[in-house]
Amino acid sequence: QTVVTQEPSVSVSPGGTVTITCALNSDSVSTSHFPSWFQQTPGQTPRTLIHSATTRSSGVPDRFSGSIVENKAALTITGAQADDECDYYCALYMGPGIRWRFGGGTKLTVL
Amino acid sequence: EVQLVESGGGLVHPGGSLRLSCAASKFSFSSFSMNWVRQVPGRGLEWISFISSTSAMASYADSVQGRFTVSRDNTENKLYLQMNSLRVEDTAVYYCAREGTWITFGGQGTLVTVSS
């Protein structure tokens, strides 16, 4: 079965840089998976930060960036702020059948 | 701004049924494919169903295949999820989401609790 893997938790100091990755157990992540990244604070709806691997959604600060590095999708936060502390999910497009697979989520701590 | 309002959740016994609705506004609903995504409280996101803009295509996650049916009414700008033979493990917040080349959530979701 296809599994999408993220780091369960990461931490960063205020003002620091952190990268969260999104990997497939059965393949390399590429642009054909249209990698997306979502931010979710407790009790809230997921918000799209990045889509199509590198495109920032409207209104998203430019400290959030997306890339594909070493066969994984990556979300990098540069200049982390306290209110960036929440959960982050990636999603990969898998094709006409099982359309999307989400990663298990990464809990970001800013300390 | 995409606006999606999910409704129809509630408490149901195992084996029971529910029909979820999603009312769409502020975009051309009939032009977009739609998805249902669920989230067990405190856990991750799980894609469960897709329907194309014209209803010509639909697909389901293995976990709900044969029990859930997605449909839509483009005249009413509504998406539906008929859920039958519900199980305890179907307990989750259910979100509808618009699909372009990416998924966009737009509502607060509706909570389905399956419990005896």
Side-chain angles (χ1 to χ4, degrees), chain B residues 5-13 15-23 29 36 48 51 55 67-86 94 96 109-114:
Chain B
V5 179
E6 300 91 345
S7 61
L11 175 63
V12 62
H13 293 307
S17 298
L18 274 178
R19 188 193 196 204
L20 305 184
S21 298
C22 168
F29 179 73
W36 287 98
I48 57 169
I51 186 167
S55 302
R67 300 187 299 122
F68 291 11
T69 302
V70 63
S71 62
R72 64 191 294 163
D73 184 340
N74 285 347
T75 64
E76 296 284 335
N77 290 346
K78 286 191 172 179
L79 175 72
Y80 301 101
L81 187 68
Q82 177 67 43
M83 304 187 299
N84 298 331
S85 303
L86 281 161
Y94 286 72
C96 58
T110 187
L111 176 63
V112 172
T113 303
V114 185

Side-chain angles (χ1 to χ4, degrees), chain A residues 9-90:
Chain A
S9 63
V10 296
S11 62
V12 63
S13 301
T17 297
V18 64
T19 296
I20 300 168
T21 65
C22 177
L24 269 175
N25 67 334
S26 57
D27 197 3
S28 299
V29 176
S30 71
T31 54
S32 65
H33 293 106
F34 299 98
S36 298
W37 290 94
F38 302 87
Q39 178 188 57
Q40 188 179 34
T41 53
Q44 297 300 309
T45 300
R47 170 198 183 197
T48 308
L49 294 176
I50 301 288
H51 64 85
S52 306
T54 61
T55 303
R56 208 176 295 115
S57 291
S58 177
V60 174
D62 60 7
R63 66 177 184 275
F64 294 93
S65 63
S67 62
I68 295 179
V69 179
E70 296 181 349
N71 303 319
K72 299 179 185 179
L75 172 70
T76 299
I77 307 172
T78 305
Q81 300 180 1
D83 59 5
D84 295 335
E85 184 168 291
C86 60
D87 296 327
Y88 293 84
Y89 294 92
C90 68

Side-chain angles (χ1 to χ4, degrees), chain A residues 40 45 48 51 89 97 99-100, chain B residues 39 43 59 99 102-103 107:
Chain A
Q40 188 179 34
T45 300
T48 308
H51 64 85
Y89 294 92
R99 302 281 295 184
W100 298 91
Chain B
Q39 184 172 34
R43 304 288 296 275
S59 60
E99 179 177 314
W102 69 96
I103 286 179

